Amino acid sequence: MPDLGVPTSQLILAAEQTLYMVFVSLVLGTILALIMAFTLVLTNRDSILPNKYIYGILNAVINTVRSVPFIILMVFIMPLTKMIVGTRIGTTAALVPLVIFIAPYLTRLFENSILDVNKGIIEAAQAMGASYFEIIWYFLLPEAKGSLILSITTGTIGLIGATAMAGAIGAGGVGDLALTYGYERMNTPLMLFTVVILIIFVQIIQTIGNHLAFKTRNH
């Protein structure tokens, strides 16, 4: 490996920090997004549990959070971050804004995936006497699974980009390494190396997502 101007241990630490931030925030964000997406789909006026108040409030909250750029959101919610994880800076502190950033984003993607499910399937489930939970678990989720996987893939790639900005609160990661040691210190080999690593990350994630979605849709 060429001399990149930083020890190998620092490169490994940056990769671990990026993977940690992406994995934890993706898991938590996906759970929240699924709950919010199903709430939106089921409570809209043409669905089986119409409720304009729940739909309207949730819809407005999601739009509001999504309209705030991540770097501003990260700084704005620092008091909340401190309250939840006990600190405003560091890799773990970055998880709070990352989850708040990715959950509404995934919610919109999931909502579109669920809305694409044929309404006849829901009507058939109701005709068989399925409960609301059973409609979600046995009918909507299996039908939308392929599209949901692609949505998670898109969200994961978006999270990798957001982790680079999380360096502003000392979260570290590959993106922060590129900016701090590559750009600010004019270390071109390191900058090139980190760009290649991020491209490889994205290619691997997209390939796995496409493969899983294809297998799901052809089963």
Side-chain angles (χ1 to χ4, degrees):
M1 179 184 292
D3 182 17
L4 299 174
V6 295
T8 303
S9 59
Q10 192 164 0
L11 295 173
I12 294 172
L13 175 63
E16 289 176 345
Q17 289 170 330
T18 294
L19 291 174
Y20 170 69
M21 287 188 283
V22 170
F23 178 76
V24 176
S25 55
L26 182 66
V27 170
L28 297 176
T30 298
I31 294 170
L32 288 173
L34 279 173
I35 294 170
M36 291 193 290
F38 276 111
T39 303
L40 283 175
V41 171
L42 296 180
T43 59
N44 76 43
R45 63 181 179 181
D46 298 323
S47 192
I48 55 179
L49 277 173
N51 187 313
K52 64 180 181 181
Y53 299 107
I54 294 177
Y55 181 87
I57 292 171
L58 185 56
N59 193 49
V61 170
I62 290 170
N63 287 341
T64 301
V65 176
R66 289 197 64 201
S67 65
V68 182
F70 178 66
I71 188 73
I72 296 174
L73 173 72
M74 190 167 52
V75 176
F76 181 71
I77 64 164
M78 273 187 165
L80 177 65
T81 301
K82 168 83 172 176
M83 188 170 68
I84 294 175
V85 297
T87 178
R88 298 166 186 252
I89 58 172
T91 310
T92 299
L95 295 177
V96 177
L98 284 170
V99 171
I100 294 175
F101 161 75
I102 198 61
Y105 180 68
L106 284 176
T107 298
R108 287 299 183 209
L109 296 176
F110 290 169
E111 182 188 13
N112 290 333
S113 299
I114 299 165
L115 287 174
D116 281 341
V117 175
N118 191 331
K119 288 186 176 178
I121 292 175
I122 299 176
E123 292 169 359
Q126 286 181 300
M128 288 186 284
S131 66
Y132 296 125
F133 175 78
E134 288 170 335
I135 291 174
I136 292 172
W137 190 257
Y138 294 111
F139 294 90
L140 290 177
L141 269 179
E143 286 296 322
K145 193 159 55 177
S147 182
L148 291 175
I149 291 172
L150 288 178
S151 297
I152 293 172
T153 304
T154 303
T156 307
I157 293 169
L159 265 176
I160 291 176
T163 59
M165 287 181 272
I169 60 169
V174 175
D176 181 56
L177 189 73
L179 291 172
T180 306
Y181 292 88
Y183 173 70
E184 293 181 3
R185 301 186 183 184
M186 303 295 286
N187 185 340
T188 303
L190 177 63
M191 177 70 89
L192 181 62
F193 178 77
T194 52
V195 168
V196 170
I197 291 295
L198 290 172
I199 291 173
I200 291 173
F201 272 0
V202 170
Q203 292 295 329
I204 291 173
I205 291 166
Q206 189 66 60
T207 301
I208 292 173
N210 288 345
H211 176 70
L212 292 176
F214 177 79
K215 284 190 68 174
T216 300
R217 285 173 166 165
N218 287 279
H219 255 260

